[in-house]
Amino acid sequence: MGKTFAEKILALKSGRESVITGEIVTVSPDVVMSHDNTAAIAKKFKQIGVEKVKYPEKIVIPLDHCVPAATEKYAVNHKEIREFVQQQKIENFYDINTGVCHQVLPEKGHIIPGTLVLGADSHTTTYGAFGAFSAGIGRSEVASIWATDEIWLRVPETIKINIDGDIPPEIYPKDIILHIIGDLGADGALYKAVEFSGKVIREMSIGGRMTLCNMAVEMGAKIGYVEPDEKTIQWLAARTNKKYEIIKSDTDANFEKIINYDISKLEPQIACPHTVDNVKPVSKVVGTKINQALIGTCTNGRLEDLKIASKILRSKKISNRVRLLVFPASMEVFAQAMELGILQELVKSGAVIMNPGCGPCLGAHEGALAPGEVCLSTANRNFKGRMGCKEAEVYLASPATVAISSLYGEITDVRGDLK
Amino acid sequence: MSIKGKVWKYGDDVNTDVIFPGKYTYTITDPKEMATHALEDLDPKFAKKVEKEDIIVAGRNFGCGSSREQAATCLKYAGVGVIVAKSFARIFFRNAINQGLPLVQCKEAVENISSGETITIDFEKGKLSCKKGVFNFPPLPESVLGILKDGGLIPHVKKILKIEKGE
């Protein structure tokens, strides 16, 4: 019987001939990531009693969750991180002018196929789009890896999700993944490796694959994975000279489940308050008034997302009831959007262009909500209080849905005629 | 090792945003202060009324969402002795173990426990006793138990490194 990607890579990274699902193995990661939580991790690291991190070259640290620092407390947090990376000679440090970790790591060439990436952030699953085994872990674990270069992982079973069909107009990767999460539920892939495959995936952009793998954690997945192909190779060629080996599941691998979706008739989808799996077709909630709209985050803050938004908003004005905040996921995306005139179009429509970072996604800063307000966002979570106010409501959708809804001040089906 | 405590019962998908809101994630760093915000957005009574060795009993996918370790830390420092759930989200599972907070996965037991009752858990025997009966639960994997027994990952790693140095 063949092996899955997860079985192969965890065998490789634990120095074993082969491993079986359910087994606990000790692995050494190729890359370990943290962000604004690095200072807290450094405090735990100090408690271990080791002077220096074992392999500073494996560590990548972008600042993104609260940038620039919102208050003195946040500024002190950042200052401690800068001092730590200097002291430890960690070169892969990206300050506030770079962007969101899950966009920055691939952009800066830190992610290649066939590697093990662990990060102190649940959306570390994003890098599975490049054929890496990439999972979120806790702060104490990152400190432990800094000291020992080792951590335990359970070998996950794999769920293969084939996505086929012809993509209808105005249907985007975000709609596809929301549909899948709504179908399987918040724990539908609990502890599993989720492999996305099929015609739709082959035709999907790298950015779209990142959206899928990013959101995989919202159905409980340990990792998301897309088998690297020509698109991946070309994307990476512009970013890194590192040699890599593409590791993929054997065709006769033992998948726990194979689920097939034909999305030829898919409608735009929306996650309604207060869970990510509370997914409905947009058509069921049209007319819901919104106060704030967010286009950005690690899920949908890429150039292709901003392009879609600007196409919809070009030469039009958003509703004066709506605050539209746009967060390009990185400075590189920001610069490209600027060059292409996208940011100008968005500004003219009434959007507020923000600096690359996580912004209000986790309720820290840059767009808090008031009780009773409704935010429509391209982010990945809408739990109660997620954006800082537990009496506010958050809906999640594609950049297209968010853009069109900003025009009318209410949740709108992007397929409808523009009024 | 056994624990006896009063139950706080919750449903499915209790996520880390309601356990420890993201707006505090970089501003509250003291574990005792974290404890005062535990479960704030789900049950405002909890942090004020929870007592040492109280037990949280919950449905599926406990601790889903953000990887923030504070979700485990705040519950530990609030005095929670153990969490019993039908299933745990994986990063929360890791964080709880790493904070020395024991976990029990037992669907049947959860379905038969009521909020406010006192239950007993025997970890060695893998038995949970409540009003409606005694339920067996599978032991945690050895390596994971090792971390728990040492009081969490940091003391566990410290111990291992000290042993290695001594050789």
Side-chain angles (χ1 to χ4, degrees), chain A residues 218-235:
Chain A
E218 303 308 326
M219 41 186 185
K222 189 184 195 97
I223 67 161
Y225 169 86
V226 174
E227 190 182 298
D229 55 13
E230 204 41 58
K231 277 204 180 101
T232 327
I233 295 169
Q234 270 192 31
W235 198 98

Side-chain angles (χ1 to χ4, degrees), chain A residues 25 40 47 76 115 155 181 213 216 229 248 269 348 362 369 382 387 391:
Chain A
V25 295
Q47 287 170 26
V76 167
T115 53
V155 180
I181 293 169
C213 290
D229 55 13
K248 51 189 178 174
Q269 303 285 298
K348 281 194 176 143
L362 67 151
L369 301 171
N382 63 346
M387 289 181 74
E391 290 87 17

Side-chain angles (χ1 to χ4, degrees), chain A residues 262-296:
Chain A
D262 184 321
I263 53 124
S264 305
K265 298 217 161 53
L266 190 64
E267 293 184 41
Q269 303 285 298
I270 190 161
C272 302
H274 298 280
T275 61
V276 185
D277 62 353
N278 186 15
V279 175
K280 302 186 171 128
V282 170
S283 56
K284 293 268 185 291
V285 293
V286 290
T288 306
K289 301 273 181 270
I290 64 172
N291 307 100
Q292 181 163 293
L294 193 169
I295 296 176

Side-chain angles (χ1 to χ4, degrees), chain A residues 35-38 40-41 44 65 74 102 119-124 136-142 217-218 358-365 380-389, chain B residues 14-29 34 37-42 62-76 83 89-99 101:
Chain A
H35 42 63
D36 295 43
N37 52 18
T38 301
I41 297 171
K44 292 177 191 286
H65 273 55
Y74 285 105
H102 304 309
D121 190 273
S122 52
H123 294 105
T124 304
I137 57 175
R139 293 174 177 190
S140 293
E141 303 191 291
V142 169
V217 69
E218 303 308 326
C358 304
C361 175
L362 67 151
H365 72 151
N380 46 54
R381 281 200 189 116
N382 63 346
F383 296 133
K384 198 183 265 201
R386 171 74 183 170
M387 289 181 74
C389 173
Chain B
V14 175
N15 64 77
T16 52
D17 279 317
V18 302
I19 298 174
F20 189 81
K23 63 189 178 196
Y24 302 131
T25 199
Y26 300 109
T27 53
I28 298 180
T29 51
M34 286 180 201
H37 294 279
L39 280 175
E40 188 167 278
D41 280 2
L42 177 65
F62 185 87
C64 63
S66 164
S67 60
R68 65 184 71 116
E69 193 163 330
Q70 300 96 312
T73 313
C74 75
L75 293 176
K76 168 115 184 139
I83 303 176
R90 58 164 293 273
I91 305 177
F92 181 84
F93 177 92
R94 304 177 70 92
N95 284 336
I97 300 298
N98 293 334
Q99 282 292 317
L101 176 55

Side-chain angles (χ1 to χ4, degrees), chain A residues 152-200:
Chain A
W152 67 268
L153 286 179
R154 181 188 172 279
V155 180
E157 298 81 3
T158 298
I159 295 178
K160 192 162 151 77
I161 298 184
N162 289 325
I163 307 175
D164 291 298
D166 297 311
I167 304 180
E170 305 294 3
I171 297 303
Y172 298 95
K174 185 64 163 287
D175 299 296
I176 296 172
I177 190 63
L178 282 176
H179 174 67
I180 294 171
I181 293 169
D183 191 39
L184 300 185
D187 61 351
L190 196 59
Y191 283 89
K192 311 294 177 196
V194 171
E195 279 195 34
F196 298 104
S197 56
K199 170 174 171 281
V200 169

